Amino acid sequence: GADIIRLDAVTYMWCELGTTCALLEESHILVRLFRAVLNVVAPQVALITETNVPHEDNISYFGDGSNEAQMVYNFALPPLVLQAFQMEDVRRLSEWAASLDPVSETATYFNFLDSHDGIGLLPVREILEPNEIDEMIRKAQTHGALISYRVDSDGKKSPYEINTTWFSALNREDSDEPVELQVARFLASRSIALALMGVPGIYLPSLVGSKNDTDAVLAEGEARSINRAALDEAVLKDRLNDPGTAANQIFSAFGRMIRIRVQAPAFHPNAAQEILTGNPAVFSILRIPEPRNQAVLALTNVSDRIQSVSVSLKALGICENEWRDLLSEGGVNADSGTLFVELKPYQIRWLTPADE
């Protein structure tokens, strides 16, 4: 009855003395074997590989796009999104996202931001500079995050993952910010994973904005326990029924975003995408289905200040002057062939030609 089979830490599936037992060709051969068998006996079942390794090694588990995994955990995405919000600067994220190519008609990326483990750092070792990773860790620690380490082949210890819930990674527990602003920041980060090419994955505690559970860490002696809190049903229901709580606001708005997303052809997993650059505080991505006039221009303000962007319709390859926002009642009109869009702090806008 399974639809998806997750191959956990598949890069270590084959062990061989004298090697690190990682990224061996035999592991790829086994994945190809599983795919070949499933293609015959259960072609509706997809394989998804979980490999917390540098990005290029990670996506190698697509094989040629048809003979290994149908989906690969997009491990570089979580640390790059976190870094973008910490620095209020999307340039690293945008540069990496622009390098993502369509895989094949039967394979795509699995875009997640958090899981039962931590935010892996190995995937961005070749994308971010060491000082950028150090700064990301420092900022995360000020929010109560823990850091897990590993021993590298040279015998030195290096940071392996940031242990935190996604909500706590973005918001300080002792912050005097309004709940509404913290929720907006959280939802803005989630919108990036929803907008990118691929299939979004959502760790269930994030649907209610779970926070760091330090008591579980102390009780279990395991850093990853910080993001594995057991949810009390009665307490959760009380929070979901209280409009003043982050849980209520996140559950409502997040669910609405997901419902809107699944109705837009532009967000098909393999619809083309273009990353637009301009304002470094705004992540801008154009998702392009067929026909092109059903495209969605997804804009996300990663800062706590009002931001504006201007986008040439010629650059978009779309001539319609009137655009509507899928997430609100508002719209935007092009002036002299240019869309001028203003975004409130952490605002998300999904704009599409208005005549569709």
Side-chain angles (χ1 to χ4, degrees):
D3 294 314
I4 294 174
I5 296 176
R6 176 183 186 267
L7 301 180
D8 180 78
V10 69
T11 192
Y12 299 105
M13 181 161 54
W14 185 274
C15 295
E16 187 170 327
L17 291 175
T19 74
T20 62
C21 300
L23 301 166
L24 299 182
E25 176 60 20
E26 287 84 353
S27 292
H28 285 280
I29 292 171
L30 286 172
V31 176
R32 291 198 287 272
L33 174 61
F34 295 159
R35 175 70 181 267
V37 170
L38 286 171
N39 283 347
V40 173
V41 301
Q44 76 281 3
V45 177
L47 291 174
I48 178 169
T49 55
E50 187 266 352
T51 51
N52 187 1
V53 294
H55 178 69
E56 291 303 319
D57 294 326
N58 182 35
I59 61 176
S60 70
Y61 284 89
F62 282 127
D64 66 8
S66 64
N67 66 345
E68 291 193 35
Q70 283 96 339
M71 286 191 288
V72 164
Y73 273 72
N74 211 349
F75 266 102
L77 181 62
L80 288 173
V81 171
L82 178 60
Q83 195 252 6
F85 278 83
Q86 287 179 336
M87 307 305 294
E88 299 190 341
D89 188 327
V90 302
R91 282 176 288 189
R92 287 295 200 184
L93 171 63
S94 294
E95 182 181 0
W96 168 81
S99 73
L100 297 178
D101 295 318
V103 182
S104 72
E105 291 185 359
T106 59
T108 194
Y109 305 93
F110 184 68
N111 297 323
F112 75 111
L113 294 182
D114 50 352
S115 71
H116 61 293
D117 293 337
I119 299 171
L121 297 173
L122 293 183
V124 291
R125 275 194 179 180
E126 298 172 4
I127 299 173
L128 298 177
E129 296 296 330
N131 65 298
E132 292 176 309
I133 294 176
D134 290 343
E135 181 64 7
M136 187 195 315
I137 290 171
R138 187 192 68 78
K139 287 181 177 291
Q141 288 176 316
T142 66
H143 285 215
L146 302 175
I147 309 300
S148 294
Y149 293 84
R150 56 175 272 165
V151 178
D152 294 328
S153 57
D154 59 5
K156 294 181 180 179
K157 203 166 71 164
S158 64
Y160 174 72
E161 67 183 13
I162 300 173
N163 301 112
T164 177
T165 69
W166 190 256
F167 186 90
S168 293
L170 297 173
N171 300 294
R172 289 177 63 111
E173 185 73 29
D174 58 356
S175 172
D176 58 2
E177 291 180 329
V179 171
E180 290 74 17
L181 183 65
Q182 296 185 42
V183 168
R185 182 184 292 121
F186 177 86
L187 293 172
S189 71
R190 307 303 310 199
S191 75
I192 292 174
L194 295 180
L196 278 171
M197 174 194 304
V199 174
I202 301 166
Y203 184 47
L204 288 179
S206 274
L207 285 175
V208 292
S210 290
K211 299 179 181 179
N212 287 342
D213 186 354
T214 53
D215 290 339
V217 175
L218 294 173
E220 299 170 18
E222 167 60 61
R224 285 176 168 174
S225 297
I226 200 169
N227 191 24
R228 299 178 178 179
L231 299 177
D232 183 279
E233 181 179 2
V235 173
L236 179 59
K237 283 183 176 179
D238 287 342
R239 290 176 181 168
L240 289 175
N241 289 327
D242 182 354
T245 64
N248 172 284
Q249 295 175 28
I250 289 170
F251 188 77
S252 175
F254 204 171
R256 181 172 179 272
M257 271 202 301
I258 294 168
R259 289 192 296 272
I260 291 171
R261 181 191 181 279
V262 299
Q263 295 173 10
F267 291 127
H268 183 281
N270 282 349
Q273 70 179 31
E274 294 177 14
I275 304 300
L276 310 180
T277 57
N279 187 332
V282 178
F283 183 71
S284 307
I285 179 173
L286 181 69
R287 295 298 309 277
I288 313 160
E290 292 295 339
R292 194 179 181 96
N293 61 1
Q294 291 183 327
V296 171
L297 175 61
L299 305 172
T300 304
N301 182 356
V302 302
S303 79
D304 61 1
R305 301 176 304 281
I306 293 174
Q307 302 290 341
S308 61
V309 295
S310 58
V311 183
S312 165
L313 293 182
K314 184 177 180 180
L316 298 182
I318 301 171
C319 61
E320 283 82 353
N321 286 315
E322 295 185 10
W323 293 62
R324 61 187 176 91
D325 190 341
L326 297 177
L327 297 174
S328 72
E329 299 298 325
V332 178
N333 293 325
D335 182 12
S336 302
T338 301
L339 283 172
F340 293 95
V341 186
E342 186 173 273
L343 297 106
K344 299 174 185 176
Y346 302 114
Q347 186 177 7
I348 311 154
R349 302 203 74 174
W350 287 350
L351 301 173
T352 190
D355 57 0
E356 288 302 312

